[in-house]
Amino acid sequence: MRAMILEQPGTPLFAAELPDPEPGPGELLLRVRACGVCRTDVHIRDGELTTATRPIVPGHQIVGIVERGGPETTTPLGTRVGVPWLGWTDGTCTFCQRGRENLCTAARFTGLDIHGGFAELTVADERYCFPLAEGPTDLELAPLLCGGLIGHRALRMAGDAARLGLYGFGAAAHIIAQVALSQGREVYAFTRAADTASQAFALELGCTWAGDAMKPGPEPLDAAIVFAPAGELVPAALHACGRGGIVVCAGIHMTDIPAFPYVDLWEERQIRSVANLTREDAVEFLDIAPRVPVRTHVTTFALEQAEDALDAIRSGSIQGSAVIVL
Ligand SMILES: [Zn+2]
Ligand SMILES: [Zn+2]
């Protein structure tokens, strides 16, 4: 099969011809139709997240068709399924036992520990594959599998915030903005001051306001979700929140957070992170998304252009999501 592989973090992915993978017990062999590209893939490529599996095939927003099931699987051949970041958990640690498998101490992640979707074929544990509704296209669905699922978890952590700030208006934010708007919330988009393209995109989607992330918005926020990996946004977001405000950090990697005055945390403001997802998050969000309905804005790339897709995300040069199409 054709695949894009990362051999050495910090070096470009390159095209390789690999043996077709074989599904083991409980695993499905999938023919990949589309795979979303996420900022986490950039962090893996750039060596900001370390992987023990090398070379690794990245890609954790996989839309694929079941081509063959390994022993003990029951999903019919031809079923269209989605494979997210959470690829395996032990089911036995204290976190799994308490319904917090996103924090599983032995978790394995797609495209980091397990070969992912930047390939013609992939193998995934059936228990972490989600049947996808008919109707939406592969391209519409792929970005939901990370930006959507983890964004949904982050939105839940933002509580009942009526005024929600989104910091970094990329793949996840453009999806979650639509969900938040459908719930009747006001959404404020915070971007780099000069990024008028993202600001215009946010306003087009129905956001109330869009502007410079380093300054507070026109009204105090009830909650903010920080998607961009820049630590200086955390105190900026906190400062933009009113009493009781919650700042949710939704990225897996961020630069250091600078010091800030205690008065910005006072009055029961909170800072918290969101890590990974549970399978329950996936089931819940894949049910919500078509009812909103979430419309993803997608820029497509061929498999061999995976580096270009990563570049585009790193530089913020595309609006919405990047998807590799097989
Ligand atoms: Zn566990
Ligand atoms: Zn992701």
Side-chain angles (χ1 to χ4, degrees), residues 135-157:
T137 64
D138 301 333
L139 280 182
E140 288 168 330
L141 290 167
L144 303 183
L145 292 164
C146 188
L149 301 190
I150 293 175
H152 166 66
R153 188 173 177 85
L155 182 59
R156 218 171 54 219
M157 302 306 171

Side-chain angles (χ1 to χ4, degrees), residues 40 45 47 61 72 82 85 91 110 118 127 160 164 197 212 215 220-221 241 250 253 281 302-303:
T40 299
R45 147 70 175 81
Q61 305 183 77
E72 298 149 41
W85 172 242
T110 312
F118 292 2
R127 295 169 300 168
D160 60 359
L164 176 71
D212 183 359
K215 295 184 184 145
L221 303 172
C241 281
H253 169 83
D281 292 329
L303 179 61

